Amino acid sequence: MASTRKRRGVRPEWVPDPARYMPAASRTHWPAGFTQTYAAGLNFQCSKLFFGSPDYPTNDFLIPFVGFGLTEGGNAPQETVNPNADILIDEAFFIHPNGTEYPILFAGSAAAAATAATGVVYGQITLPANLPAWSIFGIRTVYHGIVGSTYIGAYRCQRHRGEKFWAAGDLASVQALANADAPSTAEMDTFYNLVGNASNSQPLAYGPALVLAKGWDGRPVPLMLADSLVERQEIAASADDRGNMGIWRRWLDQRDAAWGSYIPLVMGVPGAKSAQELATSATKRWDLIDAIKTTYNGGKDIWTFVLDQSGRNDNDNTASTWSGRKFGLVDRVKTRYGADTRVVGITLMPTFGSGDAARTVAGFTVAALWNVATGVLKTVNDSIKASPRYAAVIDMVPAFMSDSDPIKGPAAEMFPLGNVIGHPGNQDGTTTWDTIKLPATVPSGSRIMFEYQPGLWTSRTLYSRTDNGDGTADYKCQEIFATNVQDNATLLAHGMNLDSGSYVHPTIHGILRTVSRLAQSEKRKFTA
């Protein structure tokens, strides 16, 4: 009967298991990227992070914190970027939407130590009443280390969502900052919306690796084999109300009336390769989720099916080598969890060059490797769609590509935003400016392009805004130059971001366009 309902476009009935811990927070991220050093006067730290709960009530929370970190790029997702000392958690709190804070306890204690490179500690909290469905809740974590030792974080604080990052030289001082909800400590609030290394990136705050809760209503829960396309190139400023970034987190979290919203268990990080996942030095996360299954869930997994987005970073000029790396990961998953594990595949999107800074579709260039119509990528995507390893496949490529050319992606010309209001700066060509007045409809976090002089274009990244109440807003720009801008310059939004010489990641406008064009009914493939 369920299969008949699915053919008619109605999802099968969900079978609740309210005693089973399942992922219960949008926005979670594994510690990854680079270690940071505890500086004098800043070695006691506190992160205040906000997450979105599932679309069902929850009450009993299980919150793992870890002492290991993942590399991003290169050998990702190998768990080899580790602190040189334990992560010492002084206290942690669950922040209810009404502002009440409840202590998270570790085996009954307020404090815990996540052993460097290997450790996992489990915090627990049972609320006095159910957290309502689709809530925004917080986790506040206080931790410290010895000055000069290193730690690894997971989160770039999203200012517009009220997230904070404090630091001080002793516990009482950092507690006072948190209790006053003071502005983030200046040293922990630098390079906003930037990704790089320890010296040029927005500082990474430590926090929970996952947030799980009881109350599950039986909806599908994807375990995602993933890379940066799940949530980048968005960084912090463009995250949605629930902290989501990227195509897949946004698409899964949509509250579709027929198919529902899903919080994924994302296993990967930016740069992750299928060939390196669940292989040498990349098993600690898998051991963690299996330990939860055994210790807390009575042998039941914290996911219901596998969603395989991975593989773009495994690219190779030989199609069989490329697809073999992706399929090898699926085989390892099925070896670990059983041959009958349901795996849903996703086709891979291309990378582009550009002769006009991604302003026009025609200006994009496509190497044979990345050509979805005639190139290596076509062969790989055809193999994904045909592979018996997958119970079903989501072909996301058509939703991503431009309408005017099926081998090229979304260019800035596809996202006209109106005009720059007046012109920024004093037009002397010397004095820099960092604020630009635009229509208030431009989303914060946008990567914009404007015709600063006739026939000449430049770009900026927007990271905050002040509404003027007249249909305009003043936006802060990440890049600060003295560019002379003509009055009412034509304004576009980028659809793709330039990454190390090529256009790899969609920006917020390319992301939202893809999400809107990818049918929610594709979620029917998540169940048999």
Side-chain angles (χ1 to χ4, degrees):
M1 184 65 180
S3 61
T4 300
R5 287 196 295 268
K6 284 181 70 177
R7 286 196 296 270
R8 293 173 180 170
V10 179
R11 66 168 175 82
E13 293 299 318
W14 293 332
V15 180
D17 188 349
R20 180 174 175 179
Y21 282 112
M22 286 299 209
S26 61
R27 160 99 171 100
T28 57
H29 195 279
W30 300 101
F34 51 84
T35 58
Q36 300 161 105
T37 301
Y38 288 112
L42 301 171
N43 57 310
F44 282 79
Q45 300 183 5
C46 178
S47 65
K48 182 179 183 180
L49 306 166
F50 289 101
F51 306 86
S53 78
D55 209 3
Y56 51 83
T58 47
N59 185 43
D60 181 336
F61 289 82
L62 177 67
I63 308 170
F65 294 79
V66 302
F68 60 82
L70 287 64
T71 185
E72 292 189 357
N75 292 325
Q78 290 185 359
E79 298 140 341
T80 56
V81 182
N82 295 309
N84 63 11
D86 298 348
I87 303 290
L88 303 176
I89 301 171
D90 298 285
E91 56 188 6
F93 298 90
F94 183 103
I95 307 172
H96 193 276
N98 66 15
T100 303
E101 292 194 348
Y102 297 94
I104 296 168
L105 298 181
F106 302 87
S109 173
T115 304
T118 60
V120 182
V121 293
Y122 296 94
Q124 292 187 268
I125 171 67
T126 301
L127 301 177
N130 276 335
L131 181 72
W134 207 251
S135 292
I136 303 295
F137 67 93
I139 302 289
R140 185 165 68 80
T141 309
V142 182
Y143 56 98
H144 76 276
I146 298 171
V147 173
S149 64
T150 61
Y151 63 100
I152 186 164
Y155 297 94
R156 292 178 170 89
C157 288
Q158 299 168 350
R159 290 179 184 169
H160 63 292
R161 299 183 60 247
E163 295 189 342
K164 300 285 184 70
F165 193 5
W166 299 286
D170 57 79
L171 179 59
S173 296
V174 80
Q175 288 174 325
L177 291 170
N179 291 335
D181 199 25
S184 293
T185 302
E187 292 89 343
M188 316 310 293
D189 196 30
T190 60
F191 297 110
Y192 186 64
N193 211 46
L194 288 181
V195 166
N197 55 40
S199 64
N200 66 359
S201 175
Q202 184 180 347
L204 299 174
Y206 184 73
L210 297 173
V211 179
L212 311 167
K214 292 182 178 180
W216 182 51
D217 66 356
R219 68 185 61 210
V221 178
L223 180 154
M224 285 202 77
L225 308 175
D227 57 33
S228 61
L229 273 301
V230 168
E231 61 184 354
R232 294 239 343 247
Q233 185 60 33
E234 295 179 77
I235 306 302
S238 59
D240 70 12
D241 290 345
R242 289 165 54 81
N244 292 308
M245 299 181 288
I247 292 171
W248 293 103
R249 283 190 187 263
R250 287 178 181 268
W251 183 77
L252 288 166
D253 202 40
Q254 283 196 350
R255 290 176 101 181
D256 184 74
W259 301 100
S261 63
Y262 312 133
I263 291 178
L265 171 61
V266 177
M267 298 301 284
V269 292
K273 297 179 178 68
S274 301
Q276 293 165 182
E277 178 62 281
L278 195 53
T280 302
S281 299
T283 59
K284 293 174 186 174
R285 288 156 296 130
W286 299 86
D287 292 343
L288 184 158
I289 65 173
D290 290 350
I292 295 171
K293 168 185 178 178
T294 301
T295 304
Y296 296 96
N297 255 8
K300 298 175 181 179
D301 288 308
I302 64 171
W303 50 275
T304 63
F305 77 102
V306 175
L307 186 57
D308 181 18
Q309 178 273 327
S310 73
R312 198 156 178 258
N313 294 320
D314 295 272
N315 62 82
D316 191 275
N317 287 319
T318 301
S320 60
T321 301
W322 187 349
S323 58
R325 292 166 179 164
K326 182 176 174 72
F327 296 157
L329 173 56
V330 177
D331 292 344
R332 291 193 296 280
V333 170
K334 290 193 173 189
T335 296
R336 189 176 182 107
Y337 295 109
D340 61 346
T341 300
R342 186 174 185 84
V343 184
V344 176
I346 300 174
T347 53
L348 305 178
M349 53 191 277
T351 287
F352 310 106
S354 177
D356 65 3
R359 181 170 59 87
T360 66
V361 173
F364 277 133
T365 58
V366 187
L369 178 71
W370 296 108
N371 193 304
V372 296
T374 62
V376 180
L377 183 56
K378 178 189 187 311
T379 304
V380 171
N381 279 337
D382 286 348
S383 70
I384 292 170
K385 288 184 275 190
S387 176
R389 293 171 175 81
Y390 298 115
V393 172
I394 298 174
D395 185 7
M396 65 82 61
V397 173
F400 168 71
M401 307 305 283
S402 68
D403 293 327
S404 60
D405 189 332
I407 69 168
K408 297 179 179 179
E413 67 178 353
M414 296 167 54
F415 306 104
L417 301 178
N419 302 88
V420 176
I421 310 300
H423 57 77
N426 62 10
Q427 301 292 284
D428 65 2
T430 301
T431 306
T432 59
W433 51 267
D434 66 354
T435 302
I436 187 169
K437 189 183 298 293
L438 304 174
T441 51
V442 178
S444 185
S446 295
R447 177 75 173 161
I448 60 168
M449 170 180 266
F450 49 93
E451 191 178 19
Y452 68 96
Q453 293 296 326
L456 300 175
W457 296 80
T458 190
S459 300
R460 296 289 190 276
T461 306
L462 311 177
Y463 68 89
S464 69
R465 52 180 284 164
T466 301
D467 284 309
N468 296 316
D470 60 358
T472 71
D474 294 323
Y475 292 81
K476 285 288 188 181
C477 301
Q478 191 68 61
E479 304 85 0
I480 302 172
F481 300 107
T483 309
N484 285 347
V485 182
Q486 62 179 329
D487 285 351
N488 302 314
T490 298
L491 178 66
L492 309 172
H494 278 283
M496 296 291 291
N497 189 72
L498 180 63
D499 302 272
S500 301
S502 58
Y503 291 84
V504 178
H505 300 91
T507 57
I508 182 173
H509 285 82
I511 287 165
L512 294 177
R513 176 181 179 272
T514 305
V515 169
S516 71
R517 289 158 54 95
L518 189 61
Q520 286 285 299
S521 61
E522 290 290 281
K523 291 176 175 177
R524 72 186 183 277
K525 297 174 178 176
F526 295 169
T527 51

